[in-house]
Amino acid sequence: MGIAEVMAIIEKDMQLAENRAAGELFLSEISYDESSNNSAHKILKEWKEIRENPDLYEFLSLCEQVRLQLVREDISERDAINMIKDLGCFHKGFPTEVEILDYLYSEELEI
């Protein structure tokens, strides 16, 4: 299976409303990825995982954008915490402030 077939699968799945936002984030991520030597198989595998829980993927992607803003010092720590809390309202995990701080300052932890 080639990259064109994988992209067709992703685009077809994105026709479902629940996959649209996650699909757009995923496509922008893989097109932004400088190491776009990802094999079609690897991209399809990642997409299948995202498709199983698109809300979580969208939440984590948006949290990563907040973390990048904090690292670039575009926003304060308090703003980052509040932004992630607001994002968490749409995610069933509702992260606590401690979990958010751990996430913001650790490369290894996920909310």
Side-chain angles (χ1 to χ4, degrees), residues 3 30 33 35-43 46:
I3 193 72
I30 62 174
D33 187 9
S35 63
S36 58
N37 297 332
N38 289 336
S39 70
H41 175 71
K42 181 179 176 187
I43 292 172
E46 288 178 39

Side-chain angles (χ1 to χ4, degrees), residues 47-60:
W47 174 247
K48 286 180 179 179
E49 291 172 6
I50 292 166
R51 193 176 56 196
E52 290 177 16
N53 197 345
D55 291 337
L56 178 61
Y57 178 78
E58 182 181 1
F59 174 71
L60 293 175

Side-chain angles (χ1 to χ4, degrees), residues 56-74:
L56 178 61
Y57 178 78
E58 182 181 1
F59 174 71
L60 293 175
S61 294
L62 294 172
C63 287
E64 184 61 27
Q65 291 174 13
V66 171
R67 182 175 19 191
L68 290 174
Q69 289 179 30
L70 178 65
V71 168
R72 290 190 311 249
E73 297 180 357
D74 294 340

Side-chain angles (χ1 to χ4, degrees), residues 88-99:
C89 291
F90 299 104
H91 176 66
K92 62 182 176 186
F94 297 99
T96 66
E97 192 164 319
V98 171
E99 290 170 327

Side-chain angles (χ1 to χ4, degrees), residues 21-40:
E24 289 173 3
L25 287 167
F26 182 65
L27 290 177
S28 68
E29 181 181 304
I30 62 174
S31 66
Y32 178 76
D33 187 9
E34 294 174 10
S35 63
S36 58
N37 297 332
N38 289 336
S39 70

